[in-house]
Amino acid sequence: AQSVTQLDSQVPVFEEAPVELRCNYSSSVSVYLFWYVQYPNQGLQLLLKYLSGSTLVESINGFEAEFNKSQTSFHLRKPSVHISDTAEYFCAVSAALIQGAQKLVFGQGTRLTINP
Amino acid sequence: ETGVTQSPTHLIKTRGQQVTLRCSSQSGHNTVSWYQQALGQGPQFIFQYYREEENGRGNFPPRFSGLQFPNYSSELNVNALELDDSALYLCASTPFQGRGYGYTFGSGTRLTVV
């Protein structure tokens, strides 16, 4: 069965510093991988996704993630963070249901705190 | 294009009661999933509906049930509420049963059971 491990429950960084949020997955089949962001008291917003093709995927707000099949990882990075990036970040992997349908399996989340 | 909308936003219920949560899917999305997010945890898959049929279920007891309507909107019903049911309930929609398209999530319903 598919599973996701987010290696850090909390990551504090200073504004304008680089950050990496780590995610490892377990799957015996081809996967789709996602990063979602959750701001306080809100739902989840899709940040970026890997479906196929280039292993480096980017979001519109400067985040990027690299799919590494050999290390079964999908780490999220940003070269310079802003106060507004303070949020909870969830890594997710797709898992099969019946008839080709998919569901998402989430990690426990990483709380990113940006300090001025 | 409207996103996923959920109602109500907050709800307080007493242990043993029943609750119904509602979700309108994003335009063009025919598949709806429900997730439970306990405080400090990642979302857990409850079940998914496609063309009004349940096509997948997570590790939740039968007192969690759902419906999908012809307009693709959905309801989550929970009977005999327990204190541990207190959580944020998220609805998500996707086209084509989620085959790699990603899911659009609503803002959730915060359920508190007292």
Side-chain angles (χ1 to χ4, degrees), chain B residues 22-78:
Chain B
R22 295 179 173 81
C23 170
S24 294
S25 62
Q26 181 170 319
S27 176
H29 288 188
N30 57 17
T31 303
V32 174
S33 302
W34 287 90
Y35 289 80
Q36 181 195 66
Q37 186 180 17
L39 200 61
Q41 303 290 319
Q44 297 291 316
F45 176 74
I46 302 175
F47 43 55
Q48 178 166 286
Y49 281 84
Y50 170 66
R51 293 186 176 178
E52 303 175 55
E53 299 270 340
E54 183 183 291
N55 69 354
R57 188 177 184 91
N59 189 26
F60 282 81
R63 58 190 187 83
F64 285 78
S65 63
L67 285 172
Q68 186 182 32
F69 301 99
N71 66 353
Y72 305 133
S73 66
S74 178
E75 286 182 355
L76 164 65
N77 299 289
V78 187

Side-chain angles (χ1 to χ4, degrees), chain A:
Chain A
Q2 284 84 351
S3 65
V4 174
T5 302
Q6 291 184 242
L7 297 161
D8 306 293
S9 59
Q10 296 186 59
V11 173
V13 295
F14 288 106
E15 194 172 17
E16 298 183 6
V19 69
E20 178 180 80
L21 307 184
R22 296 180 293 168
C23 171
N24 287 94
Y25 69 91
S26 171
S27 176
S28 58
V29 297
S30 297
V31 295
Y32 304 130
L33 292 159
F34 306 86
W35 275 99
Y36 282 86
V37 58
Q38 186 175 37
Y39 298 103
N41 300 312
Q42 295 190 25
L44 301 176
Q45 298 177 28
L46 179 65
L47 195 56
L48 45 76
K49 60 184 177 183
Y50 170 77
L51 305 180
S52 64
S54 172
T55 57
L56 185 66
V57 290
E58 298 177 351
S59 72
I60 59 173
N61 56 355
F63 283 95
E64 64 179 30
E66 186 163 17
F67 169 58
N68 188 319
K69 187 175 182 179
S70 62
Q71 297 186 9
T72 61
S73 68
F74 191 55
H75 300 333
L76 181 70
R77 302 183 182 96
K78 188 170 185 179
S80 176
V81 295
H82 302 286
I83 292 286
S84 59
D85 293 324
T86 296
E88 189 91 18
Y89 291 79
F90 292 96
C91 180
V93 65
S94 60
L97 298 171
I98 61 173
Q99 300 170 356
Q102 303 276 325
K103 67 174 183 181
L104 293 177
V105 176
F106 285 89
Q108 293 289 84
T110 298
R111 181 171 299 278
L112 177 62
T113 304
I114 312 300
N115 298 307

